Amino acid sequence: MSAVEAFLDDTPGETRGMVARDGRFEHLIVHRDDDPPQNRLGARSVGRVIEVQAGFNAAFVDLGAPGPAAFLPMGQGARPREGDRIEVVTTAEPREKKGPTVRLIGPAEGSPHLIAPGPDVSTLLARIAPNTPVQTGLAAIQASWDAEEEAFAAGHLFLEAALDLAVERTRALVAVDIDYTHMPGRDAKRGRHRANLEGLGHAARLIRLKSWGGLVAIDLVGSRLDAEAIAQAARAAFSDEPEIVFGPLNRFGVLQLSVPWRRTPIEDLLQGPDGDRVAMTAALAMIRRLRMRLLQDTATPRYAVRCAPAEATLAAPLVARLGPRAAVVADPAVRPGHADIEEG
């Protein structure tokens, strides 16, 4: 039986949930305090139809949140008209410069507003890892850093299987390259087969960790492949998402599948499509470092984070939530992203 661990990092300004299986991270959930709650997966809102696009069989809906309007695909049922008030539920969070995707529930009244938020991080952890104790404090902060580092990595080495794996996202698709490094004394055919099977498992895990979706093209090792074994391994690897559509393994050794978009990609959450979230990400990172220092050393009366003025402005109200032992000092001599933590 695989060992599952769950972590909850509740740092002022941002809550993160991490789930690891057998020491490998599978989920990184990030909720920031200032993100519009209407945009989160599962949120129910009243919206106003602001545009109907007959050519796309869809409409755009104002949810009363900043940013792009929500996208509403229209099926065979009721077809809202421009100006209608409707109740919707968020089925996919924003990504890049696109707004959320919503599903129609029915007619509504009033101006655009949130009816009920989507599940919080604790609830999501309980769904993903039921009956698993949730670790907090120092262990959760470290898990937050480790999961983020793995989520941002493009290449991954798994020496036990001689597997070299690359998982990268372009505008069109997610590209997965599974490569095998033959080692003397090993059966090359069996080694390639093992690399393919383990590569599929890790690719699925990393796509979940990065919160990616869309078309996925997986370049497997070798040319004479067991299509049935590959198909079974792929279905097992991606079994957490029932709406995945699998394509056939083509003659070039490439397997294609389509993964539904659900959550905002991790790089969008932490960097933003235009880099507009980098400053807050840096501020939150130093707050997380300061919080770790306070938890590690409970005897020192006071710790301060010395940082660039712009980061200090963002961090000050959040540092105050750590209590009287925490402070922030704006210092023009400190470069952005190079904060120091000091006593006193």
Side-chain angles (χ1 to χ4, degrees):
M1 181 178 294
S2 58
V4 179
E5 296 176 282
F7 305 87
L8 179 65
D9 172 19
D10 190 5
T11 291
E14 183 181 78
T15 304
R16 295 187 179 190
M18 289 68 61
V19 176
R21 188 179 302 274
D22 294 328
R24 304 276 188 186
F25 287 100
E26 291 197 339
H27 295 273
L28 171 57
I29 306 163
V30 179
H31 283 184
R32 283 199 177 166
D33 293 358
D34 58 354
D35 284 338
Q38 297 96 319
N39 291 347
R40 285 185 183 156
L41 192 65
R44 289 173 47 233
S45 306
V46 169
R48 179 176 63 88
V49 178
I50 58 175
E51 184 180 358
V52 175
Q53 287 278 357
F56 290 101
N57 195 29
F60 290 95
V61 183
D62 174 18
L63 300 181
F71 181 75
L72 171 66
M74 294 194 291
Q76 300 299 318
R79 302 179 68 83
R81 297 172 298 180
E82 189 172 321
D84 284 355
R85 266 64 172 179
I86 55 176
E87 182 178 342
V88 296
V89 60
T90 300
T91 58
E93 296 177 347
R95 66 181 188 275
E96 298 172 342
K97 297 183 180 180
K98 301 176 182 178
T101 300
V102 295
R103 175 173 53 82
L104 177 66
I105 296 178
E109 297 180 354
S111 58
H113 65 277
L114 179 71
I115 297 175
D120 61 14
V121 176
S122 295
T123 302
L124 292 171
L125 286 177
R127 290 179 182 177
I128 297 169
N131 304 316
T132 301
V134 177
Q135 303 178 56
T136 59
L138 293 171
I141 294 173
Q142 187 62 55
S144 173
W145 288 332
D146 293 343
E148 178 183 336
E149 181 180 7
E150 188 167 16
F152 273 95
H156 305 265
L157 292 174
F158 303 95
L159 297 179
E160 67 279 3
L163 169 64
D164 184 354
L165 179 69
V167 182
E168 300 175 291
R169 177 179 164 222
T170 70
R171 288 183 60 181
L173 51 79
V174 175
V176 178
D177 181 39
I178 299 175
D179 200 4
Y180 169 71
T181 303
H182 178 61
M183 302 180 68
R186 289 191 180 185
D187 185 308
K189 182 177 180 180
R190 290 184 179 180
R192 288 193 297 268
H193 183 66
R194 180 186 177 188
N196 281 330
L197 299 188
E198 295 204 15
L200 286 168
H202 284 299
R205 176 181 65 83
L206 291 166
I207 289 170
R208 285 194 293 271
L209 182 65
K210 297 168 185 284
S211 296
W212 286 352
L215 179 65
V216 180
I218 304 175
D219 185 13
L220 296 146
V221 183
S223 55
R224 297 182 179 180
L225 302 173
D226 184 337
E228 182 59 31
I230 293 297
Q232 290 181 1
R235 292 183 184 280
F238 290 91
S239 61
D240 67 309
E241 177 51 75
E243 296 184 25
I244 287 181
V245 178
F246 292 89
L249 178 66
N250 68 24
R251 60 176 180 162
F252 302 108
V254 176
L255 176 68
Q256 292 187 335
L257 54 143
S258 179
V259 180
W261 280 104
R262 300 293 187 201
R263 300 194 177 278
T264 301
I266 291 299
E267 67 269 25
D268 285 9
L269 281 170
L270 301 186
Q271 297 177 340
D274 295 317
D276 55 337
R277 297 173 71 92
V278 171
M280 179 56 80
T281 296
L284 289 167
M286 68 185 186
I287 294 170
R288 192 167 275 112
R289 285 175 52 208
L290 176 59
R291 180 166 169 255
M292 173 168 265
R293 184 67 62 86
L294 293 169
L295 291 172
Q296 288 174 328
D297 179 4
T298 58
T300 300
R302 187 177 175 87
Y303 276 105
V305 57
R306 183 177 295 275
C307 58
E311 293 174 355
T313 300
L314 293 172
L318 301 175
V319 169
R321 288 164 52 182
L322 292 175
R325 295 180 61 223
V328 60
V329 177
D331 187 345
V334 178
R335 290 182 298 157
H338 290 76
D340 290 320
I341 297 175
E342 56 192 26
E343 293 185 16

